[in-house]
Amino acid sequence: MVSGITETVAWCWQNGLAPVLATLAWSPVGSYLTDRFGFHAFSGPRLETTDGRFTGRVARHFDEYDKRDFALTQAQELGLAPRSCGAVGDSRSDLPLFASVELSVAFNASAGAREAATVTVDDDDLRGVLPVLSRLVTAVR
């Protein structure tokens, strides 16, 4: 994992932003990362379980459009318009979300994500996105 996740999530909360983890990682991974770093909520595909054990089958598939829809639903539940939100991502699975929010940050991203994003940040530490995310804070105040 990249450095600075804890500090970036804390910065978001301190500045009135609700950090949401919209990911294509399996839900146990999203749950772990949410608990560890303090995200507001997470998404992702779910594995089927029976009697508390994984069966090896998928209970819920999840793609780049589900990722976008999850993030937009979170915004709606928080009373936010999509155009007042931002997204940080690194790959093609972020493109639908990038197209739906005001500010999109391609962080150490693929060429396609860089092309679609509002801003590109390359850094060894996630805190490198904070100057860009501060635009959302300024826009809200």
Side-chain angles (χ1 to χ4, degrees), residues 1-2 5-7 9-10 13 19 32-39:
M1 285 187 279
V2 67
I5 299 171
T6 300
E7 296 84 358
V9 169
W13 285 116
Y32 168 78
L33 295 173
T34 296
D35 291 345
R36 179 173 175 187
F37 297 112
F39 288 96

Side-chain angles (χ1 to χ4, degrees), residues 103-131:
L103 180 67
S104 53
V105 183
F107 180 71
N108 298 337
S110 67
R114 289 170 183 273
E115 221 173 273
T118 310
V119 178
T120 296
V121 173
D122 291 309
D123 202 313
D124 292 334
D125 194 299
L126 188 58
R127 286 173 282 192
V129 304
L130 295 181

